[in-house]
Amino acid sequence: MQKFLYKARDRGRRMVEGSLAAETEQAALARLGEMGYFPLSIAREEPGAQAQPQAPPHSFGLLTTIRRRDVTLVTRQLADLLESGLTLMRALDVLREQTERPRVREVLAEVASRVRDGRSFSESLAIYPRVFSPLYISMVRSGEVGGMLGGVLARLADISEKEDDVHVKVRSALAYPVLILLVGLGTVAVLLIFVIPKLVSLFQEVGQTLPLPTRILIELSRWLASYWWLVVLGAAGGAFVVRRGTRSPRARLAIDHTKLHFPLWGTLIKKVEIARFARTLATLLSHGVPILPAMQVVVQATGNALLRGELQQIGEQLRGGATLSQGMRRGRLFPTPVIHMVAVGEESGALERSLFKIAETYERDADRVIKSMTSLVEPVMILIVGAVVGFIVISMMLPIFSIDLLAR
């Protein structure tokens, strides 16, 4: 692919200069037309000529504040604008003008500036790896090559919306149990730190021998009243150690291995990851991306380190001439039905269709697991919190009943 230097005018009659990559001069002219430019001159860049220096991207300290839903919304709107006939440059300008989030507007302005200078859309997105994933950039690149950028962006928006739906369902399923746990812990803390010390003085005045549960509760209350700061410090230190430990590949692998073998939770994670793997790979293959580059993107899009390692091994086997189903059989994480469906897809030449079927099946299964978790976790949390509070109440009532019996 050659590089061409051009001078042109935009729709506002302003002069712009830059370079772009294209197979031929006619393809470069067509590209300028898609960008909304009116070419004045175009010439092939000679080998050895000094390339234009690239301006470094803005180093936003808070770029991570751009949410997944913002990227999904921008993708959907951009797909709609392109499919309605607008050029890429015009669509980016429209999005930049209508978005209300300053960070998103800043990213769109930088991307539009780089596209205006002749760089491809995928190259312009790649300078923001924290915002646009490798899957996103690879899909956009395939859409540019195949001339179907609008359709690819629409498919990307579909994928993002499905993943957002899964995250929302998981958060919703855990919200009520977590609320019960927090309320229970708050209730226990108030009883131990404020209520029980006032009752202890009453028991001391009577001078009777206290039951064992009451003595345990009183000692625990005294310890918490004196060393509550140690509990807070230990919790903060533990959270810090866990956070730092997850950055180590070995620790991350151990944590993800534990997650996969947790009852119900591990099943949910495995189903979500298999659905993501199948949908991502099917989407890439259906847009003409070869299977080896597609597997590299899938590996980067996988959240679980254990599954990511297995996918890397499958990728190595694909390079050695094995099929996808053969590589999956040599692993341990993919269920037999998934392997059989992939093998059938390879034999019939419809691998993408089989992968989409797998994704739909496992997304439905994940929904069922989420409902099962909700129906089981809520009563379990209520029982645990009720048992703890009940123990505290009974421990404090036993001496009171004893005092009443002695008085009679």
Side-chain angles (χ1 to χ4, degrees):
M1 192 169 287
Q2 308 175 68
K3 276 206 167 185
F4 292 89
L5 303 175
Y6 67 85
K7 291 182 181 180
R9 290 189 184 276
D10 61 13
R11 295 184 185 275
R13 308 299 296 172
R14 292 172 297 184
M15 179 75 75
V16 291
E17 299 183 16
S19 66
L20 55 81
E23 295 288 349
T24 62
E25 184 174 331
Q26 287 75 18
L29 289 170
R31 177 81 181 281
L32 289 173
E34 292 174 1
M35 294 162 59
Y37 289 164
F38 301 95
L40 299 177
S41 66
I42 188 167
R44 186 168 62 87
E45 184 177 9
E46 295 298 331
Q50 185 176 1
Q52 287 188 330
Q54 294 186 1
H58 297 306
S59 56
F60 302 121
L62 297 177
L63 252 184
T64 51
T65 57
I66 294 182
R67 301 166 299 180
R68 288 169 52 94
R69 71 182 72 172
D70 293 327
V71 178
T72 302
L73 180 60
V74 167
T75 305
R76 177 66 69 190
Q77 292 174 335
L78 185 57
D80 292 341
L81 291 171
L82 291 176
E83 291 181 342
S84 65
L86 268 66
T87 63
L88 177 60
M89 278 306 309
R90 180 58 183 155
L92 290 172
D93 290 338
V94 170
L95 286 179
R96 189 177 73 250
E97 291 169 3
Q98 73 180 26
T99 185
E100 297 178 355
R101 292 183 59 81
R103 296 295 182 190
V104 177
R105 190 182 304 118
E106 207 164 351
V107 169
L108 288 173
E110 180 66 28
V111 170
S113 173
R114 287 174 174 267
V115 172
R116 186 176 289 111
D117 288 341
R119 296 175 181 86
S120 68
F121 187 39
S122 57
E123 290 174 343
S124 304
L125 296 175
I127 64 173
Y128 297 111
R130 293 185 179 181
V131 180
F132 303 104
S133 65
L135 167 65
Y136 197 104
I137 295 168
S138 296
M139 291 277 292
V140 168
R141 186 178 297 117
S142 68
E144 289 176 319
V145 173
M148 48 184 178
L149 184 56
V152 167
L153 289 171
R155 180 64 63 86
L156 272 172
D158 292 338
I159 294 173
S160 299
E161 287 166 359
K162 283 184 178 294
E163 291 192 351
D164 289 344
D165 287 343
V166 173
H167 290 152
V168 168
K169 287 175 182 176
V170 172
R171 284 197 298 266
S172 300
L174 295 178
Y176 186 61
V178 169
L179 178 62
I180 293 174
L181 179 62
L182 292 177
V183 171
L185 289 176
T187 303
V188 170
V190 169
L191 289 173
L192 290 177
I193 296 174
F194 299 106
V195 177
I196 292 176
K198 293 181 180 179
L199 295 175
V200 169
S201 58
L202 174 63
F203 298 150
Q204 290 174 341
E205 289 176 4
V206 174
Q208 72 177 96
T209 303
L210 298 176
L212 178 61
T214 307
R215 294 199 304 269
I216 294 174
L217 197 62
I218 290 173
E219 290 302 321
L220 181 60
S221 173
R222 286 173 178 168
W223 188 88
L224 283 176
S226 301
Y227 300 103
W228 61 267
W229 54 271
L230 192 61
V231 176
V232 174
L233 191 63
F240 176 77
V241 169
V242 170
R243 187 179 180 87
R244 294 283 293 181
T246 54
R247 297 180 182 178
S248 164
R250 186 172 297 178
R252 185 75 218 176
L253 186 64
I255 292 172
D256 286 346
H257 182 273
T258 304
K259 284 181 181 178
L260 285 179
H261 292 83
F262 241 69
L264 277 182
W265 183 249
T267 303
L268 175 61
I269 292 175
K270 183 178 288 189
K271 289 184 181 299
V272 169
E273 290 291 350
I274 290 175
R276 178 187 295 171
F277 153 77
R279 187 168 294 281
T280 303
L281 184 58
T283 303
L284 289 168
L285 294 176
S286 65
H287 286 88
V289 179
I291 190 166
L292 286 177
M295 282 296 296
Q296 293 174 355
V297 175
V298 170
V299 168
Q300 294 175 345
T302 303
N304 187 275
L306 196 65
L307 184 58
R308 191 186 307 125
E310 184 154 313
L311 289 175
Q312 287 174 339
Q313 294 176 1
I314 293 173
E316 293 297 326
Q317 293 168 17
L318 288 175
R319 288 189 186 88
T323 63
L324 180 59
S325 58
Q326 289 171 346
M328 294 168 71
R329 279 196 184 93
R330 294 167 188 166
R332 292 180 297 173
L333 296 180
F334 284 99
T336 303
V338 173
I339 299 173
H340 286 326
M341 288 187 70
V342 169
V344 169
E346 289 174 330
E347 293 171 3
S348 62
L351 179 58
E352 304 93 33
R353 192 185 309 163
S354 294
L355 289 169
F356 278 126
K357 287 258 186 203
I358 292 169
E360 292 169 2
T361 300
Y362 276 79
E363 284 165 356
R364 286 196 301 269
D365 289 348
D367 288 342
R368 284 195 288 268
V369 173
I370 290 172
K371 291 176 183 176
S372 300
M373 286 178 58
T374 306
S375 61
L376 288 175
V377 171
E378 289 179 11
V380 168
M381 294 301 301
I382 292 173
L383 285 174
I384 292 174
V385 172
V388 173
V389 174
F391 172 77
I392 294 174
V393 172
I394 291 172
S395 298
M396 298 312 299
M397 294 300 291
L398 283 174
I400 296 175
F401 292 149
S402 301
I403 293 173
D404 185 58
L405 290 173
L406 289 173
R408 291 181 182 179

